[in-house]
Amino acid sequence: MSLSPTVTSWPEPHSPEESDKLQTPEQDTQQASSGDVPSTHREDTRPGLGTLRRAFSRASRRALGQAPGEDTGLLRRSSHFLRSLRRPRDDGPAAAPGGARGPEGPPGVTDGGGRPSTTGVGPEEPGQEEGKSVADLITERQLLAAFEQLRQLETRLLAQKASGTFEQDPTGFARRAMDVCLLYDGLAAEIRAIVRETLGPGGVDAAALAELARVVRAEEEAHPVPPADGDFLLTPRRWRRHWEDAVTRSAQERVRQAGAGDAAGAAEGASGLARLLAELGGSVRRDLRQVRLQVQPAYSAAGLPAWEAYLRAFHGAVAQRLQELARDARGCEQLYVLLDWTANVYGSPDFLGAPDLTLSTEPLPPLLAPSVWARLESDYTSFLETKITSCFDGILQLEQSRWVAAEAPDVLQGLYHTPLSIDIHMLVAEHVKAAGAISAELEATTLRICARALGLFLPRFEKAFLQSEAVSEPHLGASINACEELRTSLLARFPGTFEELEKPLVAAVCVFQKRLLQGLQYDVQPLFRVLCTKAWLTHDVLQPLMDKVVAFAHHLEHVAPLRAQETLQEAHRYVVREYLAQVLRPRERFRGVDRVTGSQKMGLDAQAIGNTFQGLGSEATWLGQAIPCVADILGETYKDDIGRHLETLIGSYPDIRRDHVLAILALRRLGRRRNQRLLQHAQSLLRAAAKAEGSGAAGGRVLFEEIQVPTSVDLLITCI
């Protein structure tokens, strides 16, 4: 590997001016005499050495954070120093005490006053035959060889210190120790550079990674614990921590680069944010797969936990990136994109795309802090509530547009159909499913929002529909079907949440049923007026009325069966009730033969009404006795049997009252005493019926109670 790219990757420990100063011994001595004393070195009592150590410590710390591109001076200085150490102690004037430094002597090996050092340089450095210094080995990324030479230099320097070689020249020891520290720093910088390049476009250099792992382990074995005497040369370099920090910075750079082109688009809407997160996820996925398949095996021989380190680093980097995106997220869609990507994309077991590669090899902290996640969910639900309300407004507008266009509802599977129920089902299901994919809590919140919005929508829809010009049997039937579908399906699919909507939905159905019956009543009400007249005795005036009932029932065939049966029974009850109302409020009084003929006519009409509704499917068979009982009382020739007919009538219809009995007896014009006996008998029957009604035996059937009977002279005479 060439020197240039490797050299520029080192953080330079000094600025260019400081590098020049380091070449001058006097300035080195001045620099070493200032600064604060670290706690680890305060116990040293050697005169002046603590001050020098503080200076070199600051220089070493500066080396960790210096910009790349300035380390050629460091390498040249270290190279000169190492070449000087290769010279034997007895070679040249450098070993002569008190003599001037020869032309081959190492620069800077002088005492504080600029005099040549009398300490010597020690024995020959290993690897001299190859002619490579430690700096050269670092440049060529022969890290283990460089570390071994550094260890030998460190050991030799400590031995010289222990032998008293530097007693007369403490600054000479300090300068040499500083060179060793700077080379250690250079080796650490090269470790960081290798880590930074690992996931780059150049691919994974397995040999370099294995070399890196071995040198980290070798340093830990060489410097297991801080020395007891506080000597900074033997202080642990903590390269494992530097390696982990380099992995963290590499992951942060990779995550920051991913989606950089879409960062501006993320602020424009959900689609831009989705593209950014997709690119981010793809980049992280590729990098982690590369770590698992290529990087980890290279580190595993030396026991460095590469997978765990990279996993934590990328997890933290992604979390930091999402925190930034969460601060800028606006609107329901962007918030959901963030929540969904966090929970379902990154949190998916197959995020890395292979069953043997997962993110759950160890407990990891939440990708988003609980407070941030709670804020996102809260903001999302606030926007969601507004959005769902707006969606219901849109559904109502669509329905109104169909009403204005006078579009007849479709018939699907034999029933009148409006898109209303499908639109509401899709709206609820879509948002509930989306929320459920993120969390159960958000799903429950979304269900409550949908239920509340639907509860507010129903009365608005009901009012708008009934005020429109589209009210007709088909549209009413379609609306009844829609409400019934919502009631049954929503309650079945989401039990517990939509139960509170059952009453509003049933109430809406009842309103539409009532409006449907009002249409029938409006059509047939004039036809009841000809009943109990002279013309009625000789003509079939009931058939036109029943024809309209049959036409009305034709629409009920396209209504939900349960609601159609309810409506048909209500129509059946209405026809019988109105028929009896005309009988009890006759426009003409029949006597003699006309009364008997009228009784027979009522029997025929009752049979026609019963047959018609039975043919239409009405199950209200309890209505069949009302008209025949009144007809039997009216036409009974054996007056003592009238009481038996009253018993049947009151027993079948416990809602009948005294006024109704008086009106029926008034039609017959019986004598005073007989009327009194029958009335007393009827009152006892009514009291018994009232007790039965109080116990619930009546079954909630109402017929006579809704028939208004006016007070007339005939009724008063009957009472008297």
Side-chain angles (χ1 to χ4, degrees):
M1 185 176 295
S2 63
L3 174 63
S4 175
T6 306
V7 170
T8 57
S9 66
W10 284 13
E12 177 61 19
H14 303 286
S15 64
E17 294 80 359
E18 291 173 333
S19 299
D20 294 339
K21 290 180 181 180
L22 289 175
Q23 305 300 324
T24 306
E26 293 82 358
Q27 293 174 344
D28 280 339
T29 305
Q30 294 172 3
Q31 182 183 9
S33 63
S34 62
D36 300 329
V37 180
S39 61
T40 57
H41 299 150
R42 288 180 180 176
E43 67 274 8
D44 188 14
T45 59
R46 186 179 300 273
L49 187 55
T51 305
L52 294 173
R53 286 177 177 172
R54 291 195 301 273
F56 301 148
S57 177
R58 287 198 302 272
S60 177
R61 287 196 299 269
R62 288 196 302 270
L64 292 175
Q66 197 63 259
E70 297 179 353
D71 36 7
T72 54
L74 167 64
L75 294 179
R76 285 196 303 269
R77 175 171 169 77
S78 301
S79 180
H80 288 317
F81 169 61
L82 294 176
R83 282 196 297 270
S84 70
L85 292 179
R86 292 194 188 103
R87 300 179 56 180
R89 182 180 291 271
D90 55 354
D91 183 16
R101 179 172 57 87
E104 296 297 324
V109 186
T110 61
D111 58 14
R115 296 185 305 275
S117 174
T118 60
T119 61
V121 295
E124 181 180 357
E125 178 188 357
Q128 180 182 0
E129 61 277 8
E130 289 85 358
K132 293 183 180 179
S133 66
V134 175
D136 295 334
L137 293 174
I138 294 175
T139 303
E140 297 173 3
R141 291 192 171 174
Q142 299 183 36
L143 305 184
L144 196 57
F147 176 73
E148 291 173 354
Q149 285 199 23
L150 266 177
R151 278 288 294 147
Q152 294 176 8
L153 292 174
E154 183 181 63
T155 303
R156 185 180 307 159
L157 192 57
L158 290 172
Q160 291 175 351
K161 174 187 174 184
S163 65
T165 304
F166 295 101
E167 287 184 357
Q168 302 301 322
D169 187 15
T171 58
F173 169 77
R175 284 192 296 271
R176 291 172 183 253
M178 185 184 69
D179 281 333
V180 173
C181 289
L182 292 178
L183 288 172
Y184 270 128
D185 291 343
L187 193 53
E190 195 64 27
I191 290 174
R192 291 193 295 271
I194 292 174
V195 172
R196 186 169 60 250
E197 298 169 3
T198 297
L199 299 177
V204 176
D205 188 347
L209 297 183
E211 183 94 351
L212 185 156
R214 287 194 295 270
V215 79
V216 169
R217 292 297 302 272
E219 191 278 331
E220 291 177 339
E221 295 172 358
H223 306 127
V225 293
D229 60 356
D231 197 318
F232 66 94
L233 276 179
L234 296 178
T235 299
R237 304 294 168 175
R238 306 192 187 282
W239 285 349
R240 182 185 293 264
R241 188 181 63 188
H242 294 327
W243 169 74
E244 292 175 349
D245 293 343
V247 169
T248 299
R249 285 194 294 272
S250 174
Q252 291 173 346
E253 292 175 1
R254 301 287 296 176
V255 168
R256 181 62 57 184
Q257 293 171 2
D262 290 324
E268 299 176 358
S271 59
L273 180 59
R275 286 194 303 270
L276 187 150
L277 291 175
E279 184 175 344
L280 174 61
S283 175
V284 172
R285 185 181 300 110
R286 288 190 299 270
D287 286 345
L288 287 178
R289 284 176 61 87
Q290 189 175 22
V291 168
R292 191 63 178 268
L293 299 177
Q294 301 180 34
V295 177
Q296 184 187 18
Y299 281 117
S300 60
L304 281 185
W307 172 246
E308 291 77 7
Y310 272 98
L311 184 59
R312 287 193 302 269
F314 273 99
H315 186 78
V318 172
Q320 182 179 357
R321 185 73 175 115
L322 286 184
Q323 297 268 9
E324 298 171 358
L325 294 174
R327 287 195 296 268
D328 299 331
R330 297 293 182 271
C332 183
E333 289 77 10
Q334 282 195 346
L335 290 167
Y336 181 80
V337 167
L338 271 177
L339 292 170
D340 178 66
W341 191 89
T342 303
N344 300 320
V345 178
Y346 185 84
S348 173
D350 57 350
F351 173 70
L352 297 181
D356 58 333
L357 300 178
T358 64
L359 294 178
S360 58
T361 56
E362 65 174 9
L364 294 173
L367 194 60
L368 289 175
S371 59
V372 176
W373 180 269
R375 181 182 64 81
L376 288 178
E377 281 194 344
S378 176
D379 293 347
Y380 172 72
T381 53
S382 299
F383 282 111
L384 181 64
E385 192 164 5
T386 303
K387 180 181 179 182
I388 289 178
T389 301
S390 176
C391 289
F392 276 110
D393 292 341
I395 291 175
L396 181 57
Q397 291 175 1
L398 286 175
E399 290 295 317
Q400 289 174 328
S401 66
R402 297 188 186 99
W403 302 336
V404 172
E407 298 178 2
D410 298 328
V411 178
L412 297 179
Q413 298 180 348
L415 300 178
Y416 287 131
H417 172 75
T418 175
L420 175 67
S421 61
I422 293 180
D423 292 343
I424 294 177
H425 272 102
M426 291 180 62
L427 174 64
V428 174
E430 175 186 354
H431 287 92
V432 170
K433 180 180 178 181
I438 294 175
S439 69
E441 294 79 6
L442 189 59
E443 179 183 14
T445 302
T446 304
L447 273 172
R448 290 193 294 269
I449 290 174
C450 291
R452 187 163 54 249
L454 180 56
L456 296 174
F457 169 78
L458 288 174
R460 294 174 54 216
F461 170 78
E462 175 187 316
K463 181 179 179 180
F465 175 61
L466 295 179
Q467 290 178 349
S468 69
E469 298 179 357
V471 178
S472 62
E473 287 83 357
H475 282 100
L476 286 167
S479 298
I480 292 172
N481 292 339
C483 292
E484 186 66 10
E485 289 174 8
L486 291 172
R487 187 186 70 84
T488 56
S489 60
L490 288 179
L491 290 179
R493 185 170 182 181
F494 307 109
T497 304
F498 284 89
E499 288 180 355
E500 61 183 15
L501 289 179
E502 184 171 12
K503 290 183 179 179
L505 286 169
V506 171
V509 169
C510 291
V511 169
F512 296 142
Q513 286 177 314
K514 183 178 179 180
R515 185 60 179 269
L516 197 60
L517 287 167
Q518 286 175 352
L520 173 66
Q521 295 169 7
Y522 180 81
D523 289 339
V524 301
Q525 187 65 39
L527 300 179
F528 282 107
R529 296 173 185 171
V530 298
L531 297 177
C532 299
T533 61
K534 293 291 185 179
W536 167 67
L537 293 175
T538 57
H539 296 83
D540 186 7
V541 298
L542 187 65
Q543 188 59 43
L545 188 150
M546 300 314 297
D547 290 341
K548 289 186 176 295
V549 169
V550 172
F552 172 80
H554 173 72
H555 294 292
L556 297 181
E557 295 176 357
H558 304 299
V559 177
L562 177 62
R563 301 306 177 185
Q565 181 61 223
E566 292 176 351
T567 308
L568 183 61
Q569 291 186 27
E570 189 63 23
H572 190 176
R573 191 176 72 90
Y574 166 74
V575 171
V576 173
R577 186 186 70 218
E578 288 301 312
Y579 191 99
L580 289 173
Q582 295 298 324
V583 171
L584 298 181
R585 299 193 302 262
R587 288 180 171 80
E588 300 180 21
R589 297 286 176 173
F590 298 133
R591 294 182 176 88
V593 177
D594 288 342
R595 178 174 52 79
V596 175
T597 303
S599 173
Q600 295 173 350
K601 183 69 172 177
M602 287 176 62
L604 293 175
D605 287 348
Q607 185 178 3
I609 292 172
N611 291 339
T612 300
F613 278 102
Q614 184 178 2
L616 295 174
S618 173
E619 298 176 359
T621 56
W622 62 279
L623 294 168
Q625 293 294 323
I627 298 175
C629 282
V630 176
D632 290 342
I633 294 173
L634 186 62
E636 180 60 58
T637 58
Y638 188 61
K639 296 180 180 180
D640 291 338
D641 287 343
I642 293 177
R644 179 172 54 83
H645 296 313
L646 281 174
E647 292 177 3
T648 302
L649 182 63
I650 295 174
S652 300
Y653 305 98
D655 67 319
I656 195 171
R657 296 293 177 260
R658 183 173 179 270
D659 292 344
H660 300 116
V661 175
L662 289 174
I664 294 172
L665 294 178
L667 294 176
R668 184 61 194 266
R669 295 180 180 272
L670 299 172
R672 178 179 61 84
R673 291 182 180 179
R674 190 177 296 276
N675 281 339
Q676 287 180 349
R677 287 197 305 269
L678 291 174
L679 187 58
Q680 290 174 357
H681 180 59
Q683 286 177 339
S684 64
L685 294 173
L686 288 172
R687 285 193 293 269
K691 293 181 180 179
E693 184 179 4
S695 63
R701 296 171 179 175
V702 177
L703 180 62
F704 283 91
E705 184 179 338
E706 297 177 352
I707 299 175
Q708 299 293 329
V709 180
T711 301
S712 64
V713 175
D714 291 332
L715 292 181
L716 291 175
I717 293 175
T718 302
C719 294
I720 295 173

